[in-house]
Structures are given as C-alpha cells and as structure tokens.
Amino acid sequence: MDDSEPLVPIQGAFTDIGKAERQSPVWIIENVLPAGLVLLNGPEKDAYKTTLLLGFAALVAKWPCAAFPADWVAKCHGPSMLFLYEDSAGEARYIVEKGMGVKTQPDESILIADEPGTWRLDDEDALDQMFYWLNERKPVLVGLDPFINFHSIDEKDAGSMIRLISPLRRWAKQNGAVFIICHHPRKQLESGHAYSARDALGITALTGHADGILTMTPQKEFSVLVEAKFKKWKAWTKVINLAIWDRVGQRAKETMRPVDVMILKAIANGYDTPEKLESTTGIGSRSLHERIASLGKSGHIVLAKGKMRILK
C-alpha cells in the first residue's frame, strides 16, 4: 500500500482501545456479586444456596440483614425476581424471617414465581414470557434455583448450553443486573475435601460464561467455605459463619481454619518460606502449598522473591 494513501476509517467497525472509556466491574454486592451471570455452586445439602440467594435479594432490597459478613454491601438496589423450583413464596418468607431474622415488606421488592416449572429456558414461549417480565420490572437480581430444573438440555453439550445461558447474561449485562443460577457439582466429594469451580456440571459452558463463580463447601453447622472467582476481579477464598437459624441475632463473620492460623503465626515468627514452614509446622508439602495459595487468594499473605509477608 502506498504510504500516502489514507487509511480506511475504523468508525463503526472498531474502537481504538486507547480511546475507549475504561470500564471497571459493576458490583451488585461488593466483591461478591458482579453484574452479569453468576454461578452459585455447591452440593445439594448444607451449602445454603437458597439461603444465600434469598439473603442477596434482601440486601438488594435494602432490608436489614445480618446473616452475612458486614462487608457484603449492596452497591445496587432494586427488586429481585426469583424462580425457586423447590420453595413457594410462603416457604421463602419463612426462610427469610425465621432463618435469617429479616423482616419482609409487602412492597414487591422480592417476587417469587408462582409456578416455576412453567418457566423453561429451552421453551421459546416460556423464555419470551420471562423476558417480558424482566423488561417490565427491571429486577436488579434474578435467580434460578436449581438451574437443572429449568431445562432438559444435556449440560455436557457446551454449544447448546452456551445458546441457553447467553441471553440471560446479555440481559443482565445490558441492564446492570445479576442473573444467578444455583447449581450442584458433578459428584459429591468425601468429607474434608473442598469443592471448586471445576466441579460444576456443564463446566465448559457454565464456568466459561460466568462473570462470577461462588463455590460452597459445607463446614461445621451454618458455616461454608466459599471459593470466589471472577472474570475481572481477584479471586478469594474464605470460611463464612452465617448468622442463620440458631445463630440469628449474632453477626456473621469470616473465620479461619486452625491450620491457616498456625501458618500465619509461623510466618509472623520469621518462618517466611515454604521450606521453613514445612519444617516447623509438619504440614505435608502438597497440603501446605494449597493452604499458602488459599491464604494468598484471600488477601492474607503475599509471596514475593520467595518469601511470604502477612498483609492483614
């Protein structure tokens, strides 16, 4: 091409990244729920997925809720629309009021679908009806629980799953909302093992398209290990003591495993390399490196030039 020949204008076809307006993540709940598609992943029992979903909706509705840690703050407020296959509106109210200590309000802040079985994502008419209500009410938070009951597609068929969930994510991104799908792992793990995002059914489509993945592993009563991964934000892993049921009236808080406390104490005492830690704690190399990685993800330590330093 002749150097003197003018270049074809890019307007309408491309955007110069240096001229684009920088877009940071939009948080529905800060550092927990980004706008877009979020996968809430955990076993069927004792992961509290439905409780978390209802609690998120309460926070978005500005209803006082102490079930979660104090730093789980809603940054966007508005109505929620929940499709709960296993719970009626009355049962959901019982969970919110008795299980979480939250006073509900008859102000249409949280809407529960009356017949969730009719809202099929693989049924064109049902999907049109769902988007009709989404566009009419503009909820900030939408939830499907459990996701597997809202379609009949083989979740290992990545192409079909992408076509199924892409409209949900697109609507959420366009409207500054979060679309939460509650799901369970491909298999149950033995006690003492933690679930991860890799354990989700339909892994390729679900995890690849999710803007956030919260994976829960049950711990002691009312406690869950939460592994959080995001497309555009740093990951974190924490054990959360939920203030629910018998703990209503207390304040939810983050706790640490005893092994993590031991590791942090050792680092504070100068055992600041993996080799030194292994020699003083007696923890096996593989387990030690897993815990160091977890502490790094949760922002407790940083590893630089082969040495660890406590951040908080």
Side-chain angles (χ1 to χ4, degrees):
M1 178 183 292
D2 187 343
D3 291 341
S4 63
E5 183 178 341
L7 295 172
V8 176
I10 64 172
Q11 283 77 9
F14 300 93
T15 298
D16 183 338
I17 189 173
K19 296 179 181 179
E21 182 178 352
R22 189 168 60 185
Q23 297 178 356
S24 57
V26 175
W27 292 104
I28 306 303
I29 296 178
E30 191 167 22
N31 297 336
V32 180
L33 290 182
L37 185 71
V38 170
L39 173 63
L40 204 55
N41 184 41
E44 294 184 49
K45 291 186 62 178
D46 300 326
Y48 304 111
K49 295 191 295 293
T50 302
T51 301
L52 285 167
L53 182 61
L54 288 166
F56 291 152
L59 290 176
V60 168
K62 287 187 176 182
W63 294 352
C65 177
F68 301 150
D71 58 354
W72 288 22
V73 178
K75 307 301 289 185
C76 297
H77 299 96
S80 294
M81 192 173 289
L82 306 181
F83 301 83
L84 308 178
Y85 199 87
E86 299 170 353
D87 298 286
S88 67
E91 289 169 326
R93 180 179 180 181
Y94 183 82
I95 293 171
V96 171
E97 293 187 341
K98 295 296 184 179
M100 306 177 75
V102 175
K103 182 174 178 57
T104 60
Q105 302 292 335
D107 57 5
E108 299 188 355
S109 288
I110 301 179
L111 301 176
I112 310 293
D114 289 331
E115 297 183 25
T118 64
W119 304 89
R120 305 283 300 182
L121 300 178
D122 50 2
D123 181 304
E124 187 175 344
D125 291 337
L127 190 60
D128 286 345
Q129 184 74 352
M130 177 181 288
F131 279 113
Y132 167 79
W133 283 108
L134 294 180
N135 289 321
E136 283 294 314
R137 289 293 181 139
K138 289 290 192 295
V140 171
L141 185 150
V142 185
L144 297 177
D145 180 24
F147 177 63
I148 195 171
N149 288 78
F150 292 91
H151 69 89
S152 301
I153 292 175
D154 181 357
E155 296 189 350
K156 295 180 182 178
D157 182 346
S160 295
M161 287 301 296
I162 289 171
R163 288 189 290 274
L164 189 74
I165 63 178
S166 289
L168 312 181
R169 179 176 185 266
R170 183 165 53 249
W171 185 90
K173 296 288 283 186
Q174 290 173 346
N175 289 274
V178 60
F179 214 117
I180 302 174
I181 54 178
C182 296
H183 210 29
H184 58 267
R186 290 174 291 178
K187 61 181 180 180
Q188 301 296 309
L189 298 181
E190 296 179 4
S191 178
H193 291 76
Y195 292 96
S196 72
R198 296 187 300 273
D199 296 314
L201 281 168
I203 181 171
T204 302
L206 290 178
T207 61
H209 272 63
D211 297 278
I213 304 172
L214 303 179
T215 302
M216 275 74 63
T217 300
Q219 304 291 293
K220 61 182 181 180
E221 193 173 29
F222 309 134
S223 294
V224 288
L225 172 67
V226 183
E227 179 195 76
K229 293 181 178 294
F230 307 103
K231 274 186 181 293
K232 300 176 181 177
W233 197 249
K234 60 185 178 182
W236 53 262
T237 303
K238 300 176 182 179
V239 177
I240 305 297
N241 280 345
L242 300 169
I244 58 176
W245 300 110
D246 292 349
R247 297 191 70 246
V248 167
Q250 302 179 41
R251 182 78 224 190
K253 61 181 181 179
E254 173 190 350
T255 60
M256 299 186 69
R257 298 182 182 185
V259 65
D260 292 337
V261 173
M262 179 170 61
I263 290 171
L264 290 177
K265 286 182 178 178
I267 294 173
N269 288 325
Y271 298 92
D272 55 2
T273 67
E275 295 75 20
K276 290 179 181 178
L277 279 175
E278 188 173 350
S279 67
T280 192
T281 63
I283 303 171
S285 177
R286 181 177 178 181
S287 296
L288 180 62
H289 280 82
E290 287 179 354
R291 299 318 310 150
I292 290 173
S294 177
L295 289 168
K297 287 180 182 178
S298 59
H300 286 88
I301 63 173
V302 63
L303 181 63
K305 296 181 179 181
K307 292 189 176 183
M308 288 166 285
R309 179 168 56 86
I310 295 175
L311 293 179
K312 62 178 181 179

